[in-house]
Coordinates of all heavy atoms in Angstrom, one line a residue:
T1 N 9.7 0.8 -14.0 CA 8.6 1.7 -13.8 C 8.0 1.6 -12.4 O 7.6 0.5 -12.0 CB 7.5 1.4 -14.9 OG1 8.1 1.5 -16.2 CG2 6.3 2.4 -14.8
I2 N 7.9 2.7 -11.7 CA 7.2 2.7 -10.4 C 5.8 3.3 -10.6 O 5.6 4.2 -11.4 CB 8.0 3.6 -9.4 CG1 7.5 3.4 -8.0 CG2 8.1 5.0 -9.8 CD1 8.3 4.1 -6.9
S3 N 4.9 2.7 -9.9 CA 3.5 3.1 -10.0 C 2.8 2.9 -8.6 O 3.4 2.2 -7.8 CB 2.7 2.4 -11.1 OG 2.7 1.0 -10.8
R4 N 1.7 3.5 -8.4 CA 0.9 3.4 -7.2 C -0.5 3.2 -7.5 O -1.0 3.8 -8.5 CB 1.2 4.5 -6.3 CG 0.7 5.9 -6.8 CD 1.2 7.0 -5.8 NE 0.5 7.0 -4.5 CZ 1.0 7.5 -3.4 NH1 2.2 8.2 -3.5 NH2 0.4 7.4 -2.3
D5 N -1.2 2.5 -6.6 CA -2.7 2.3 -6.7 C -3.2 2.7 -5.4 O -3.2 2.0 -4.4 CB -3.0 0.8 -7.1 CG -4.5 0.7 -7.4 OD1 -5.3 1.3 -6.8 OD2 -4.8 -0.2 -8.2
N6 N -3.8 3.9 -5.3 CA -4.2 4.5 -4.1 C -5.5 3.7 -3.6 O -5.8 3.7 -2.4 CB -4.5 5.9 -4.2 CG -3.3 6.8 -4.3 OD1 -2.2 6.3 -4.2 ND2 -3.4 8.1 -4.6
A7 N -6.2 3.1 -4.5 CA -7.4 2.3 -4.1 C -7.0 1.0 -3.3 O -7.7 0.6 -2.4 CB -8.3 2.0 -5.3
L8 N -5.9 0.5 -3.8 CA -5.4 -0.8 -3.2 C -4.4 -0.6 -2.1 O -4.0 -1.6 -1.4 CB -4.8 -1.7 -4.3 CG -5.7 -2.2 -5.4 CD1 -5.0 -3.0 -6.4 CD2 -6.9 -3.0 -4.8
N9 N -3.9 0.6 -1.9 CA -2.8 1.0 -1.0 C -1.6 0.2 -1.3 O -0.9 -0.4 -0.4 CB -3.2 0.6 0.5 CG -4.2 1.7 1.0 OD1 -4.7 2.6 0.3 ND2 -4.5 1.6 2.3
M10 N -1.2 0.2 -2.6 CA -0.1 -0.6 -3.1 C 0.8 0.3 -4.0 O 0.3 1.1 -4.7 CB -0.5 -1.9 -3.8 CG -1.2 -2.9 -2.8 SD -1.4 -4.5 -3.5 CE 0.3 -5.1 -3.5
V11 N 2.1 -0.1 -4.0 CA 3.0 0.5 -4.9 C 3.7 -0.6 -5.6 O 4.0 -1.7 -5.0 CB 4.1 1.4 -4.1 CG1 5.1 1.9 -5.0 CG2 3.4 2.5 -3.4
F12 N 4.1 -0.4 -6.9 CA 4.7 -1.4 -7.7 C 6.0 -0.9 -8.3 O 6.2 0.2 -8.6 CB 3.7 -1.9 -8.8 CG 2.4 -2.3 -8.3 CD1 1.3 -1.4 -8.3 CD2 2.2 -3.6 -7.8 CE1 0.0 -1.8 -7.8 CE2 0.9 -3.9 -7.3 CZ -0.1 -3.1 -7.3
L13 N 6.8 -1.9 -8.6 CA 8.0 -1.6 -9.4 C 8.1 -2.7 -10.5 O 8.4 -3.8 -10.2 CB 9.3 -1.6 -8.5 CG 10.6 -1.2 -9.2 CD1 10.5 0.3 -9.6 CD2 11.8 -1.5 -8.4
E14 N 7.9 -2.3 -11.7 CA 8.0 -3.1 -12.8 C 9.4 -3.0 -13.4 O 9.9 -2.0 -13.7 CB 7.0 -2.7 -13.9 CG 5.6 -2.8 -13.6 CD 4.9 -4.1 -13.8 OE1 5.6 -5.0 -14.2 OE2 3.7 -4.2 -13.6
M15 N 10.1 -4.2 -13.4 CA 11.5 -4.2 -13.8 C 11.6 -5.1 -15.1 O 11.1 -6.2 -15.1 CB 12.4 -4.7 -12.7 CG 12.2 -4.0 -11.4 SD 13.4 -4.5 -10.2 CE 12.8 -6.2 -9.9
S16 N 12.2 -4.5 -16.1 CA 12.5 -5.3 -17.3 C 13.9 -5.2 -17.7 O 14.7 -4.4 -17.2 CB 11.5 -4.8 -18.4 OG 11.8 -3.5 -18.7
S17 N 14.3 -6.0 -18.7 CA 15.7 -6.0 -19.2 C 16.7 -6.1 -18.0 O 17.7 -5.4 -18.0 CB 16.0 -4.8 -20.0 OG 15.1 -4.7 -21.1
L18 N 16.4 -7.0 -17.1 CA 17.1 -7.1 -15.9 C 18.6 -7.6 -16.2 O 18.8 -8.5 -17.1 CB 16.4 -8.1 -14.9 CG 15.3 -7.4 -14.2 CD1 14.4 -8.5 -13.5 CD2 15.8 -6.4 -13.1
K19 N 19.5 -7.1 -15.4 CA 20.9 -7.4 -15.5 C 21.4 -8.1 -14.2 O 20.8 -7.8 -13.2 CB 21.7 -6.2 -15.8 CG 21.2 -5.3 -17.0 CD 21.9 -4.0 -17.1 CE 21.4 -3.1 -18.2 NZ 22.1 -1.8 -18.3
P20 N 22.5 -8.8 -14.3 CA 23.0 -9.4 -13.1 C 23.3 -8.3 -12.0 O 23.2 -8.6 -10.8 CB 24.3 -10.1 -13.5 CG 24.0 -10.5 -15.0 CD 23.2 -9.3 -15.5
E21 N 23.7 -7.1 -12.4 CA 24.0 -6.1 -11.5 C 22.8 -5.5 -10.8 O 22.9 -4.7 -9.9 CB 24.8 -5.0 -12.1 CG 24.2 -4.4 -13.4 CD 24.9 -5.1 -14.6 OE1 25.1 -6.3 -14.7 OE2 25.1 -4.3 -15.6
D22 N 21.6 -5.9 -11.2 CA 20.4 -5.6 -10.5 C 20.1 -6.5 -9.3 O 19.1 -6.2 -8.5 CB 19.1 -5.6 -11.5 CG 19.2 -4.6 -12.6 OD1 19.6 -3.4 -12.3 OD2 18.9 -5.0 -13.7
T23 N 20.9 -7.5 -9.2 CA 20.7 -8.4 -8.0 C 20.9 -7.6 -6.7 O 22.0 -7.0 -6.5 CB 21.8 -9.6 -8.1 OG1 21.5 -10.3 -9.3 CG2 21.7 -10.4 -6.9
A24 N 20.0 -7.7 -5.8 CA 20.0 -7.0 -4.6 C 18.8 -7.3 -3.8 O 17.8 -8.0 -4.3 CB 20.1 -5.5 -4.8
V25 N 18.7 -6.9 -2.5 CA 17.5 -6.9 -1.8 C 16.9 -5.5 -2.0 O 17.5 -4.5 -1.9 CB 17.8 -7.0 -0.3 CG1 16.5 -7.0 0.5 CG2 18.5 -8.4 0.0
Y26 N 15.6 -5.6 -2.4 CA 14.8 -4.4 -2.7 C 13.9 -4.0 -1.6 O 13.1 -4.8 -1.1 CB 14.0 -4.6 -4.0 CG 14.9 -4.5 -5.3 CD1 15.8 -5.5 -5.6 CD2 14.9 -3.4 -6.1 CE1 16.7 -5.4 -6.7 CE2 15.7 -3.3 -7.2 CZ 16.6 -4.3 -7.5 OH 17.4 -4.3 -8.6
F27 N 14.0 -2.8 -1.2 CA 13.2 -2.3 -0.1 C 12.2 -1.2 -0.5 O 12.6 -0.3 -1.3 CB 14.1 -1.7 1.0 CG 15.1 -2.6 1.6 CD1 16.3 -2.8 1.1 CD2 14.7 -3.3 2.8 CE1 17.2 -3.7 1.7 CE2 15.6 -4.2 3.4 CZ 16.9 -4.4 2.8
C28 N 11.0 -1.2 0.0 CA 10.0 -0.2 -0.2 C 10.0 0.7 1.1 O 10.1 0.3 2.2 CB 8.7 -0.8 -0.3 SG 7.3 0.3 -0.6
R29 N 9.9 2.0 0.8 CA 9.9 3.0 1.9 C 8.7 3.9 1.7 O 8.5 4.4 0.6 CB 11.2 3.8 1.9 CG 11.2 4.8 3.0 CD 12.5 5.6 3.0 NE 12.6 6.6 1.9 CZ 13.0 7.8 2.0 NH1 13.4 8.3 3.2 NH2 13.0 8.6 1.0
A30 N 7.9 4.1 2.7 CA 6.8 5.1 2.8 C 7.3 6.3 3.6 O 7.8 6.1 4.7 CB 5.6 4.4 3.3
Y31 N 7.0 7.5 3.1 CA 7.5 8.6 3.9 C 6.7 9.9 3.6 O 6.1 10.1 2.6 CB 9.0 8.9 3.5 CG 9.3 9.4 2.1 CD1 9.4 10.7 1.9 CD2 9.4 8.5 1.1 CE1 9.6 11.2 0.6 CE2 9.6 8.9 -0.2 CZ 9.7 10.3 -0.5 OH 10.0 10.7 -1.7
T32 N 6.7 10.7 4.7 CA 6.3 12.1 4.6 C 7.4 12.9 5.2 O 8.5 12.4 5.5 CB 5.0 12.3 5.5 OG1 5.3 12.1 6.8 CG2 3.9 11.3 5.0
R33 N 7.2 14.2 5.4 CA 8.2 15.0 6.0 C 8.6 14.6 7.4 O 9.7 14.8 7.9 CB 7.8 16.5 6.0 CG 7.8 17.1 4.6 CD 7.5 18.5 4.6 NE 7.5 19.1 3.3 CZ 7.2 20.4 3.1 NH1 6.9 21.2 4.1 NH2 7.2 20.9 1.8
R34 N 7.6 13.9 8.1 CA 7.8 13.6 9.5 C 7.9 12.2 9.8 O 8.4 11.8 10.9 CB 6.6 14.2 10.3 CG 6.4 15.6 10.2 CD 5.2 16.1 11.0 NE 4.9 17.5 10.9 CZ 3.9 18.2 11.5 NH1 3.0 17.5 12.1 NH2 3.8 19.5 11.4
T35 N 7.6 11.3 8.8 CA 7.5 9.9 9.2 C 8.1 9.0 8.0 O 7.9 9.4 6.9 CB 6.0 9.5 9.3 OG1 5.4 10.4 10.2 CG2 5.9 8.1 9.9
I36 N 8.8 8.0 8.4 CA 9.4 7.1 7.5 C 9.1 5.6 8.0 O 9.3 5.3 9.2 CB 10.9 7.2 7.4 CG1 11.2 8.6 6.8 CG2 11.5 6.2 6.5 CD1 12.7 8.9 6.8
Y37 N 8.6 4.8 7.0 CA 8.4 3.4 7.3 C 9.1 2.6 6.2 O 8.9 2.8 5.0 CB 7.0 3.0 7.4 CG 6.2 3.7 8.4 CD1 5.3 4.8 8.1 CD2 6.3 3.4 9.7 CE1 4.6 5.4 9.0 CE2 5.6 4.0 10.7 CZ 4.7 5.1 10.4 OH 4.0 5.7 11.4
W38 N 9.9 1.6 6.7 CA 10.6 0.7 5.7 C 10.0 -0.7 5.8 O 9.5 -1.2 6.8 CB 12.1 0.6 6.1 CG 12.9 1.7 5.8 CD1 13.2 2.8 6.7 CD2 13.6 2.0 4.6 NE1 14.1 3.6 6.1 CE2 14.4 3.2 4.8 CE3 13.7 1.3 3.4 CZ2 15.2 3.7 3.8 CZ3 14.5 1.8 2.4 CH2 15.3 3.1 2.6
G39 N 10.0 -1.3 4.7 CA 9.6 -2.8 4.6 C 10.8 -3.6 5.0 O 11.9 -3.1 5.2
Q40 N 10.7 -4.9 5.0 CA 11.7 -5.8 5.3 C 12.6 -6.2 4.2 O 13.7 -6.8 4.3 CB 11.1 -7.1 6.0 CG 10.6 -8.2 5.0 CD 9.3 -7.7 4.3 OE1 8.7 -6.8 4.6 NE2 9.0 -8.5 3.2

């Protein structure tokens, strides 16, 4: 489940029933039509 809190300027990803194939580096991206920012 993805959600956002505009008051806190935060986005969340709640993950449940995790599987070994979910193993990865997870990146957050902020974007508009003109701008993209990636996290590390």
Side-chain angles (χ1 to χ4, degrees):
T1 302
I2 188 171
S3 62
R4 64 188 292 159
D5 188 326
N6 289 353
L8 296 178
N9 286 7
M10 294 192 71
V11 176
F12 306 98
L13 185 68
E14 299 271 3
M15 305 186 293
S16 62
S17 302
L18 284 163
K19 307 173 183 179
E21 51 263 43
D22 293 318
T23 296
V25 178
Y26 283 71
F27 297 89
C28 178
R29 183 179 72 136
Y31 67 96
T32 65
R33 289 184 179 179
R34 299 178 179 177
T35 310
I36 295 175
Y37 299 107
W38 286 94
Q40 83 290 346

